[in-house]
């Protein structure tokens, strides 16, 4: 079996996911660039290869069972049925504003389907491959706006994000999901953690963020490369633990 570490990053065609793929590629890993759009996926793969990374495109829509099953097959073919790291990065805001009393319910459904159910769908399809890794890791890209402690302690939108009944609660839900996985997987060696990249300039926020995608990727790369005695079921940003 090939000793090169193998990772899959969802939503890796742009933004923070692209930089996570670039960062893991720079470590000499083989990285699956998960992306739903063929054109965007191939241009990301080409760019990453031009920078010297060992990457391969993985057609992947996290909201689609068949797409995720095919992605698992494709990843399995690369390294004898093994996956070392899964980064669940793909996410949507659903668009703003999202005031609770005025929201379109379809927005809430779409955001939860992508940011939460999509993560569960992809994770469950990849867990059999992760179980074959010596040091398996899962990183769920959450957000500080999912912290109920921060939401209740502050009204500053720089801390809490805008009032948003779909996006922020989807990340709170994702954090809770992360904890439950950590409990079930406690004795498997699979370490699973939630990450906040900070406020990063990407399409997601009309490039209003103040950090670069590369800076946003750093916490995910850190959690993807945790030692075997590293934490599981935690919620982290660059500065350390985020209060739930
Ligand atoms: P982005 O540039 O908009 O990238 C989002 C990625 O997710 C894109 O590759 C997008 O693909 C993909 N995606 C969306 N829905 C998908 C689906 N159904 N299946 C597969 N891929 C899908 O945003 P980003 O800022 O890099 O966000 C990455 C993650 O960081 C998200 O989970 C986000 O919530 C989180 N985050 C971001 C910030 C920030 O300040 N930017 C802060 C906290 C957390 P397409 O190109 O096909 O749309």
């Amino acid at each position: 079996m090939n000793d090169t570490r193998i990772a899959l990053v969802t939503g890796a065609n742009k933004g923070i996911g692209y930089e996570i793929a670039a960062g893991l590629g720079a470590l000499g890993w083989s990285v699956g660039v998960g992306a739903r759009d063929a054109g965007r996926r191939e241009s990301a793969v080409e760019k990453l290869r031009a920078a010297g990374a060992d990457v391969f495109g993985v057609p992947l829509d996290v909201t689609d069972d068949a797409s995720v099953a095919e992605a698992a097959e494709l990843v399995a073919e690369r390294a004898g049925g093994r996956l070392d790291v899964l980064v669940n990065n793909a996410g949507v805001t659903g668009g703003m504003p999202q005031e609770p009393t005025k929201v379109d319910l379809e927005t809430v459904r779409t955001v939860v389907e992508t940011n939460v159910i999509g993560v569960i769908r992809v994770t469950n399809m990849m867990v059999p491959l992760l179980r074959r890794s010596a040091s398996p890791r899962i990183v769920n890209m959450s957000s500080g706006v999912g912290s109920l402690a921060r939401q209740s302690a502050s009204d500053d939108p720089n801390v809490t994000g805008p009032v948003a009944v779909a996006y922020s609660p989807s990340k709170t839900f994702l954090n809770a999901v992360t904890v439950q996985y950590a409990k079930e997987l406690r004795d498997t060696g699979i370490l699973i953690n939630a990450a906040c990249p900070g406020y990063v300039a990407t399409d997601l926020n009309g490039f209003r963020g103040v950090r670069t995608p590369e800076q946003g990727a750093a916490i995910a790369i850190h959690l993807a490369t945790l030692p075997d005695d590293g934490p599981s079921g935690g919620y982290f940003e660059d500065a350390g633990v985020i209060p739930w």
Side-chain angles (χ1 to χ4, degrees), residues 140-180:
N140 290 338
M141 196 49 100
S142 179
S143 167
V145 303
S147 164
L148 292 179
R150 286 187 180 171
Q151 290 288 347
S152 58
S154 174
D155 278 330
D156 178 356
N158 290 317
V159 176
T160 62
V163 171
V165 76
Y167 183 67
S168 302
S170 78
K171 297 300 188 180
T172 313
F173 193 167
L174 178 59
N175 291 343
V177 161
T178 304
V179 170
Q180 296 303 315

Side-chain angles (χ1 to χ4, degrees), residues 100-118:
T101 62
K102 298 177 193 131
V103 77
D104 173 357
L105 294 185
E106 207 43 52
T107 299
V108 183
R109 279 195 196 96
T110 302
V111 172
V112 172
E113 182 63 51
T114 305
N115 296 2
V116 183
I117 298 173

